[in-house]
Amino acid sequence: MTESGDLAPIREAVRALCADFPGEYWRELDRERAYPEKFVAALTQAGFLAALIPEEYGGSGLAMTAAAAIMEEIQASGCNGAACHAQMYTMGTVLRHGSAEQKARYLPAIARGELRLQAFGVTEPTSGTDTLSLRTTATREDDHYLINGQKIWTSRAEHSDLMLLLARTTPREQAKTRTGGLSVFLVDMRETKGKGLTIRPIRTMMNHATTEVFFENMRVPADNLIGREGDGFRYILSGMNAERILIGAECIGDAKWFIQKAASYAGERVVFGRPIGQNQGVQFPIARAYIGMRAAELMVREAAALYEAGKDCGSEANMAKHLAAEASWAAADMCVQTYGGFGFAEEFDIERKFRETRLYTVAPISTNLILSYIAEHVLGLPRSY
Ligand SMILES: Cc1cc2nc3c(=O)[nH]c(=O)nc-3n(C[C@H](O)[C@H](O)[C@H](O)COP(=O)(O)OP(=O)(O)OC[C@H]3O[C@@H](n4cnc5c(N)ncnc54)[C@H](O)[C@@H]3O)c2cc1C
């Protein structure tokens, strides 16, 4: 599957912007576990983070394939889109299920860079992957909801104004369907921080600005409910396909970065009087990583094209994310091996990217759960959980 030529200027523009944020910029932030404010501001100013916002709301009105190309190029340039990718993948839920009034209230300000929609609160400490057993509740009282509970791994909550939050509005045993009773809210954290909302950072092996968040009688106006009460799981699921495609594209970008680094180093590094890349034992793993990346890229493009055409893409989005995450991790491992000892030295950026790309076989959905999805929904095997 080839890509249409109109994406070439977007790719070029992203690469040009990323050139201003070289390895040293990311290394310094990585050491301090600091947020890449300048990078995110530059992407916002250039309009890339508003790619999916329709033109009538001040965005660029681009489609999923363009958004995927933007995220891929960020990673392929050695930068880290994890600092801001949520604004892209939460957008589908707001666009498809938000009211006209909500879109008019929030989207133009997001497009102008005055409001950040970077936090997505789904995972909880006790439910993990089993989203339907989440315990955070939202109880309606007059014109607002009171939210109580806890989320974990709510990335970028400290660097976002808005959070898309999934909470239970009907007790599980009273819900009409297995997936019913959950609702989605657009929480304005500027109004709730310190007033029922507490955010605590979690330090991780890579620089990811992730947090745990606690809700204690946090008031959210009923106007901030997205779509219909009780239908939230369905809305989040449709958004998750976008998330998988975009993360898949990021993994392709990572894999391209590792492969380019390894091929270039293997051509230059001379040991035993010849370039190490002249040895098949060094060149074959690079070639294998390239083949794996190209195959995964095809699936990411197919999933993005289906999403863009409004077609069902659940299995393609899952397979794309799976293949791409495996390809980027394989390329990362190969790159360290190719560099030998230098692969571990901070100044080459490989160990940093290695840690960063490791995430994607676990989040936003772990490999086992993708395999379970394919086994059940594509192969017709019994549900295993
Ligand atoms: C850095 C980071 C950032 C994140 N950002 C966000 C975010 O912004 N918002 C958000 O909501 N979440 C976020 N997450 C959460 C992420 O989506 C989850 O970590 C991921 O979905 C896995 O859930 P879990 O950690 O609870 O693992 P668990 O569900 O506890 O699973 C642990 C292991 O058991 C396996 N397993 C569980 N059940 C089964 C089964 N039935 N069959 C086979 N294997 C099974 C899983 O595959 C996994 O390998 C983030 C996580 C990390 C680490």
Side-chain angles (χ1 to χ4, degrees):
M1 189 167 210
T2 53
E3 185 175 83
S4 86
D6 3 327
L7 295 183
I10 292 179
R11 288 181 178 278
E12 220 166 279
V14 176
R15 275 202 297 273
L17 184 151
C18 289
D20 289 338
F21 299 91
E24 180 48 42
Y25 173 78
W26 296 99
R27 263 174 257 148
E28 212 172 300
L29 295 170
D30 185 62
R31 267 177 235 133
E32 305 297 326
R33 292 294 189 274
Y35 191 72
E37 301 277 2
K38 278 191 187 151
F39 175 69
V40 176
L43 280 178
T44 306
Q45 231 167 10
F48 291 125
L49 294 186
L52 293 174
I53 298 180
E55 281 170 302
E56 59 179 304
Y57 297 111
S60 343
L62 295 171
M64 180 53 72
T65 48
I70 291 169
M71 297 318 297
E72 181 195 312
E73 290 301 333
I74 290 173
Q75 299 303 116
S77 306
C79 299
N80 189 3
C84 49
H85 53 196
Q87 193 144 302
M88 296 268 207
Y89 61 64
T90 49
M91 199 47 72
T93 305
V94 179
L95 288 176
R96 288 181 179 184
H97 308 292
S99 65
E101 202 270 326
Q102 287 167 337
K103 289 185 217 175
R105 183 154 28 120
Y106 293 111
L107 295 182
I110 295 174
R112 286 194 301 270
E114 292 160 11
L115 264 186
R116 298 162 300 175
L117 170 52
Q118 289 291 359
F120 188 39
V122 176
T123 310
E124 296 189 0
T126 52
S127 55
T129 310
D130 183 8
T131 306
L132 292 177
S133 65
L134 64 77
R135 292 186 187 170
T136 296
T137 56
T139 313
R140 178 87 193 233
E141 273 192 2
D142 307 323
D143 61 350
H144 62 271
Y145 285 84
L146 281 184
I147 315 258
N148 281 286
Q150 183 192 349
K151 297 283 171 186
I152 193 167
W153 308 122
T154 313
S155 303
R156 301 160 300 272
E158 295 172 293
H159 305 281
S160 184
D161 303 304
L162 304 171
M163 177 199 296
L164 204 63
L165 173 74
L166 186 66
R168 186 159 279 291
T169 36
T170 305
R172 200 169 181 181
E173 52 292 352
Q174 288 170 26
K176 289 197 188 95
T177 59
R178 192 177 70 83
T179 56
L182 295 173
S183 302
V184 177
F185 298 89
L186 198 53
V187 178
D188 192 333
M189 293 190 285
R190 294 169 304 172
E191 286 166 9
T192 59
K193 238 180 251 175
K195 291 187 216 147
L197 170 68
T198 308
I199 306 172
R200 283 198 206 132
I202 303 176
R203 195 177 163 93
T204 54
M205 70 190 246
M206 67 298 187
N207 187 15
H208 199 89
T210 198
T211 72
E212 53 184 342
V213 294
F214 301 86
F215 311 113
E216 210 184 327
N217 287 328
M218 179 178 79
R219 278 169 79 108
V220 175
D223 285 350
N224 287 37
L225 171 76
I226 300 273
R228 287 210 325 239
E229 187 184 289
D231 281 350
F233 188 69
R234 191 164 58 81
Y235 305 155
I236 289 285
L237 270 192
S238 77
M240 280 174 174
N241 285 333
E243 183 181 35
R244 280 161 208 177
I245 293 166
L246 290 166
I247 299 274
E250 287 180 57
C251 289
I252 295 300
D254 275 345
K256 286 184 176 175
W257 185 87
F258 286 118
I259 291 164
Q260 192 278 326
K261 282 268 171 200
S264 137
Y265 185 73
E268 287 163 10
R269 169 78 170 164
V270 175
V271 181
F272 295 112
R274 58 183 183 164
I276 56 169
Q278 200 176 332
N279 303 301
Q280 289 185 333
V282 174
Q283 56 179 235
F284 283 8
I286 307 175
R288 195 180 295 280
Y290 179 79
I291 294 169
M293 176 278 290
R294 288 300 310 276
E297 184 182 46
L298 292 179
M299 188 57 82
V300 172
R301 287 185 179 172
E302 172 156 343
L306 286 171
Y307 184 98
E308 195 164 306
K311 294 194 180 144
D312 180 21
C313 64
S315 44
E316 287 78 9
N318 273 291
M319 290 189 287
K321 189 284 187 172
H322 173 71
L323 288 171
E326 297 265 311
S328 71
W329 178 235
D333 195 40
M334 170 282 291
C335 194
V336 169
Q337 200 69 20
T338 305
Y339 268 71
F342 290 117
F344 296 84
E346 193 188 37
E347 68 175 289
F348 289 89
D349 295 311
I350 288 155
E351 59 84 33
R352 170 178 63 82
K353 293 282 276 181
F354 177 91
R355 287 182 279 114
E356 287 169 1
T357 214
R358 181 64 187 87
L359 177 63
Y360 299 118
T361 58
V362 172
I365 180 172
S366 73
T367 296
N368 281 2
L369 271 292
I370 291 184
L371 297 176
S372 299
Y373 179 96
I374 298 300
E376 183 188 341
H377 296 282
V378 179
L379 305 174
L381 291 166
R383 188 181 170 80
S384 63
Y385 55 92

